[in-house]
Amino acid sequence: MYRSVVSRRCVLVCVAWIMAMGFIFGGPTRAQTPMKVAADAPGFQPTMVYQDFGHGENVNTFNGGLIVDHVSRIAVPENLGGLLAPRRVYNSKDASYIWIPQATDPLPPHGWMGFGWALSFGRVKLVIQTVDCSNSTQAAFLYFKQWFYVDESGAEHRLYLAATGGYDGTESWDGSPTTPTNPPPKPRTGALYVTNDGSYLRAYWSGSNSWPNDGGTWTIYYPDGSTRILGGDGTSFLAPTMQGANNSTGDMIQNWSQQGWYTTSMKDRAGNTTAVTYRPYQPSVDPVNHPYAGQQPYMGAISSITDHMEDSDPSHRRTIEFEVFTGQTEASELNGLLHSITLLNASPAETETYSYTLCSYTAPVNGVATTFQYPELSEVADPVGLDTRYNYAFPSYSVGDSIPQLLSRIDYPTGASVSYTYGMWDYFYYDNQTTVFDSDDIEGVTSRTESGAELGGSSGLNTTTWLWNHQYSQNDKLYLTGNDGQQRCVVYATTQDPLGQVTAHLFSCPLTGYDYPAGIEMGQFLYSMGNSISTDNVYSNCVYSKITDLDWGGGDAALCVDVSGPCPALQIPRGNSRTLDTVETEWAAGSKLWYKKVQNLTWDNYGHYMLTYTTGTNLPEYWVTARAYDLKYASTGPYQLDRLVVSFAGTATSAPTGGTTASATGTFRMVQQDYTDAAPFPNAGLLAYRCQMRSSVGSFSLDPASPRSAMVTPGASDPTATLAYLDSQGQNSAGGNIDSLVKTPSLGS
């Protein structure tokens, strides 16, 4: 429910308007526009769309970012239907930074899997936000602290101090906001932190009296009831090192690539806990001249993962062990990099191994061309010896070695090969500080080619190629009329499939700081063979179109505020953006052959529309689906947003109505279900029963303030499934697994 690479909601994937440049440079970041930040956003963002090619390969349609998400073959099933499997993730948006070791930026700009790759269960980091006040009576610059949760995919979720409980939401600097110096700033103890990016994550920080020697812990709350603990000891926390304001280069956090809190514990809604341990951080004593000399130059290098199978029988406990390269020469740059992953006590033994190559690049240092190197993941061999290989290349637009190598080819053990090329294009944006239009460059994927041996023979190759073209300059902007009749500014990118057919994707391009967030797909147009988009009339030669209107707000979005006052405000994009309605149409020679409109009604404030209905060609009635969720989001008690308690599906004889309630009249089938929070699974929300009402109903009304009011008492003849669960005490640690399922009435009734 919360995970989809093309959804406008998801748990692990997040903000389209993150302060991504803060990740690249570590601070300070100016008050950036949503357009600029969306262009550099890594990972899976809940409001953006991706083309999923399988094999874990995805391309962000808006910004061209390549995300490769490869799951380790070292994986074990867990209680409650979970799977414990390390994921190695490549983000091309995290690999676009040319690094020159220097006093202000001495540490390798990557983690323990080489340039562009990560293997992490989550990290919270500090970013310094700079507000330019040079046109006011304030100091030239004011500095504010911001916290980001980086999930497994590399997506960054801004954690806002909630404007509640006596806090106004603004986190000014600890001390003077004009001179950010050590000790580094810390989060607010016991305060609620929230998100507005559609991920619906929440967080708390538990402080320490010995900050920054002891970093305390962050708790991240997912909307499915699971939690993560980050930090707690010296191997899972590294305090940010401040080096004073440097507005020209943006190097205020010296150890930006390593600092922060790393996940040490993961707990599901039934209380099953998985522990993560790390290797001690041992960087080089002279990183400017010898950045790779340390025995462990990377924070977040995992040592082991131990799951929750910890009853009286130790054999039920499973541990995945991670080994790194040690004792290597400095020139090899291998020390501290992931070398192998092993499932302990497996029979037969299961080990996955990792290999690396070095990339050389040249950059000017004091006017002198100087050669540097960094490691790149080159090969992964699974437990049975099947290899996946990775190759890299400098993009064609790189002047000399001014841009790092990017992932250019993947060779799979099946014999298939995939290659990528990259391009650079111009895009314009509205600067919310200078209130003028500006432009910048964006880099991304421009082609993907997949090759394999021909079927039935070994000669030649089967080849398919996808192409992308982005038109984001100010002269390329268009105005799209939405389903509500309003015109909005958009820019467009085209994709060409292997058969040569072109699809145009129209993305929001805000002309003010408070317009639609940037990078959200608002229109999609498929053209007849041999044709493409015409900027004079986007419907010309179109055979299919899809127009999307958006809504926003709800959840914790209202609690996300930022800087305002005599300086230019840090404008918060409209939070928790979501689809309000879509209209799909098929065309022939400019005439409609068929259309379908999907309309959503009555937002429950935390991730769900209560009613969706469909109208269109040859649909004399209204197709309706409706659902009510028993939301748990109080500051005390469980945080769960996925407890569906009642749903309806059928046809309505008149248009359903929305507003404070969602109602419809017609013929509907009803399903209801409920949950157990009783011991031994307090607040777990495990499904207790599910009932399909045998008789249809003629009407319903759903109230988000009282979702259970639509529930009824099942009759003796209504098919019902009742579940019971295994307790983790004395039951082979099967916490939350189904023990029994009883159907009533029995078969034959």
Side-chain angles (χ1 to χ4, degrees):
M1 166 176 159
Y2 283 94
R3 180 156 179 120
S4 171
V5 296
V6 296
S7 173
R8 299 201 187 279
R9 304 177 49 241
C10 83
V11 176
L12 300 182
V13 304
C14 75
V15 263
W17 43 85
I18 55 173
M19 306 310 296
M21 293 299 289
F23 174 79
I24 294 177
F25 294 112
T29 56
R30 304 293 176 87
Q32 294 204 56
T33 67
M35 187 69 173
K36 287 194 68 175
V37 178
D40 294 320
F44 293 121
Q45 319 289 343
T47 58
M48 304 182 86
V49 294
Y50 300 81
Q51 289 178 257
D52 184 354
F53 293 99
H55 319 295
E57 299 175 44
N58 291 268
V59 174
N60 184 309
T61 313
F62 171 72
N63 67 24
L66 172 63
I67 307 103
V68 177
D69 185 351
H70 283 170
V71 179
S72 171
R73 288 288 300 272
I74 307 297
V76 293
E78 296 293 298
N79 290 335
L80 213 64
L83 180 70
L84 180 59
R87 298 164 51 194
R88 58 185 184 273
V89 179
Y90 177 85
N91 271 291
S92 66
K93 293 295 179 179
D94 285 344
S96 59
Y97 170 56
I98 278 291
W99 172 59
I100 302 174
Q102 53 191 306
T104 56
D105 191 8
L107 301 176
H110 57 80
W112 67 313
M113 288 198 63
F115 203 67
W117 288 90
L119 194 162
S120 169
F121 290 95
R123 167 194 175 202
V124 171
K125 66 177 184 179
L126 169 68
V127 169
I128 306 304
Q129 175 68 61
T130 304
V131 179
D132 186 348
C133 298
S134 56
N135 294 324
S136 73
T137 57
Q138 299 289 320
F141 295 95
L142 295 180
Y143 303 96
F144 297 85
K145 53 190 177 183
Q146 296 180 344
W147 311 100
F148 287 84
Y149 173 61
V150 186
D151 67 24
E152 293 96 324
S153 79
E156 303 182 358
H157 305 260
R158 168 80 187 275
L159 302 176
Y160 292 86
L161 176 65
T164 184
Y167 298 114
D168 62 6
T170 299
E171 282 199 275
S172 58
W173 197 263
D174 300 352
S176 171
T178 61
T179 55
T181 57
N182 284 309
K186 61 181 178 180
R188 300 283 180 91
T189 301
L192 174 66
Y193 285 82
V194 295
T195 56
N196 73 347
D197 57 25
S199 65
Y200 295 90
L201 295 170
R202 285 180 164 184
Y204 285 91
W205 181 70
S206 299
S208 167
N209 293 327
S210 58
W211 173 269
N213 296 322
D214 183 348
T217 59
W218 280 93
T219 301
I220 305 294
Y221 294 89
Y222 280 74
D224 64 353
S226 63
T227 59
R228 298 203 176 186
I229 305 297
L230 296 88
D233 59 42
T235 63
S236 58
F237 168 71
L238 179 64
T241 301
M242 311 307 302
Q243 55 192 13
N246 187 338
N247 297 298
S248 62
T249 63
D251 293 320
M252 290 171 53
I253 302 179
Q254 190 179 46
N255 58 352
W256 62 269
S257 62
Q258 310 295 329
Q259 54 92 8
W261 296 255
Y262 293 79
T263 296
T264 53
S265 176
M266 300 178 286
K267 181 185 294 186
D268 67 22
R269 65 196 302 160
N272 300 304
T273 301
T274 298
V276 184
T277 64
Y278 296 89
R279 296 181 177 276
Y281 180 50
Q282 296 176 296
S284 169
V285 296
D286 182 14
V288 175
N289 298 303
H290 302 279
Y292 291 101
Q295 286 302 302
Q296 185 46 263
Y298 314 107
M299 276 295 294
I302 299 172
S303 177
S304 67
I305 307 172
T306 302
D307 70 7
H308 42 260
M309 304 297 187
E310 297 181 5
D311 60 14
S312 57
D313 186 349
S315 66
H316 294 147
R317 182 184 307 146
R318 282 90 56 85
T319 296
I320 298 176
E321 186 176 74
F322 299 77
E323 293 293 338
V324 299
F325 286 96
T326 60
Q328 307 296 310
T329 65
E330 177 186 350
S332 73
E333 299 185 4
L334 285 173
N335 283 326
L337 292 176
L338 176 62
H339 178 44
S340 66
I341 302 177
T342 299
L343 177 61
L344 297 184
N345 301 320
S347 180
E350 293 188 22
T351 296
E352 190 172 70
T353 58
Y354 292 72
S355 302
Y356 302 83
T357 58
L358 293 180
C359 170
S360 298
Y361 64 100
T362 302
V365 177
N366 298 322
V368 178
T370 306
T371 299
F372 301 96
Q373 290 182 323
Y374 55 79
E376 295 173 327
L377 178 67
S378 59
E379 184 176 330
V380 178
D382 73 9
V384 296
L386 297 178
D387 294 345
T388 300
R389 297 183 177 130
Y390 307 97
N391 289 278
Y392 308 81
F394 290 105
S396 60
Y397 51 87
S398 175
V399 179
D401 301 339
S402 61
I403 295 172
Q405 286 192 338
L406 298 173
L407 182 63
S408 61
R409 177 168 170 155
I410 306 173
D411 293 311
Y412 290 100
T414 59
S417 294
V418 178
S419 60
Y420 289 92
T421 64
Y422 300 82
M424 178 182 290
W425 56 93
D426 181 66
Y427 71 99
F428 88 102
Y429 59 92
Y430 177 85
D431 191 312
N432 58 7
Q433 282 205 27
T434 62
T435 65
V436 298
F437 292 105
D438 205 343
S439 64
D440 209 336
D441 293 326
I442 181 173
E443 308 163 20
V445 171
T446 54
S447 75
R448 178 189 186 273
T449 299
E450 184 168 353
S451 304
E454 288 185 347
L455 295 176
S458 59
S459 62
L461 292 174
N462 278 330
T463 300
T464 60
T465 298
W466 286 81
L467 301 174
W468 289 264
N469 183 31
H470 300 77
Q471 301 295 329
Y472 292 175
S473 72
Q474 188 167 2
N475 293 332
D476 296 320
K477 69 178 185 294
L478 304 173
Y479 288 89
L480 177 68
T481 301
N483 302 323
D484 58 2
Q486 299 295 313
Q487 284 196 329
R488 296 180 178 89
C489 180
V490 294
V491 292
Y492 67 94
T494 60
T495 59
Q496 180 177 300
D497 68 21
L499 297 179
Q501 194 162 23
V502 172
T503 301
H505 305 264
L506 277 59
F507 298 102
S508 53
C509 176
L511 296 181
T512 69
Y514 293 100
D515 207 342
Y516 275 15
I520 298 177
E521 186 178 73
M522 302 181 64
Q524 187 180 123
F525 293 81
L526 176 66
Y527 294 96
S528 57
M529 293 295 292
N531 292 292
S532 186
I533 185 172
S534 169
T535 56
D536 294 328
N537 179 9
V538 296
Y539 289 91
S540 178
N541 298 310
C542 176
V543 297
Y544 167 85
S545 65
K546 178 181 179 181
I547 306 297
T548 301
D549 284 350
L550 303 176
D551 201 357
W552 52 84
D556 295 323
L559 302 178
C560 300
V561 300
D562 223 321
V563 182
S564 62
C567 294
L570 298 184
Q571 298 171 345
I572 303 301
R574 290 172 164 175
N576 294 337
S577 299
R578 57 190 179 272
T579 298
L580 179 61
D581 57 59
T582 61
V583 173
E584 297 179 72
T585 308
E586 289 187 3
W587 302 85
S591 299
K592 291 183 180 180
L593 294 178
W594 167 91
Y595 87 95
K596 179 180 75 174
K597 181 175 183 178
V598 179
Q599 177 77 46
N600 294 309
L601 299 175
T602 309
W603 184 247
D604 72 0
N605 222 31
Y606 276 91
H608 319 94
Y609 280 106
M610 303 200 76
L611 188 149
T612 299
Y613 71 94
T614 302
T615 57
T617 303
N618 298 326
L619 294 180
E621 298 177 306
Y622 301 83
W623 292 3
V624 174
T625 58
R627 58 246 138 212
Y629 292 81
D630 185 13
L631 305 173
K632 305 295 183 183
Y633 58 87
S635 57
T636 58
Y639 181 60
Q640 295 175 10
L641 307 182
D642 60 353
R643 296 191 185 201
L644 176 67
V645 291
V646 62
S647 63
F648 299 88
T651 57
T653 54
S654 59
T657 59
T660 56
T661 61
S663 305
T665 300
T667 303
F668 310 99
R669 302 308 299 264
M670 178 181 177
V671 176
Q672 73 177 35
Q673 57 195 48
D674 211 344
Y675 303 83
T676 178
D677 291 309
F681 309 109
N683 297 327
L686 300 178
L687 184 65
Y689 80 86
R690 180 180 173 88
C691 177
Q692 166 76 64
M693 302 304 171
R694 191 176 293 274
S695 300
S696 61
V697 298
S699 64
F700 65 84
S701 180
L702 298 178
D703 183 354
S706 181
R708 291 179 171 273
S709 61
M711 300 179 72
V712 298
T713 301
S717 63
D718 292 327
T720 302
T722 303
L723 295 90
Y725 295 87
L726 292 170
D727 182 1
S728 60
Q729 301 300 317
Q731 296 285 348
N732 293 333
S733 293
N737 291 341
I738 296 174
D739 184 26
S740 64
L741 187 152
V742 178
K743 297 180 180 180
T744 55
S746 61
L747 294 177
S749 300

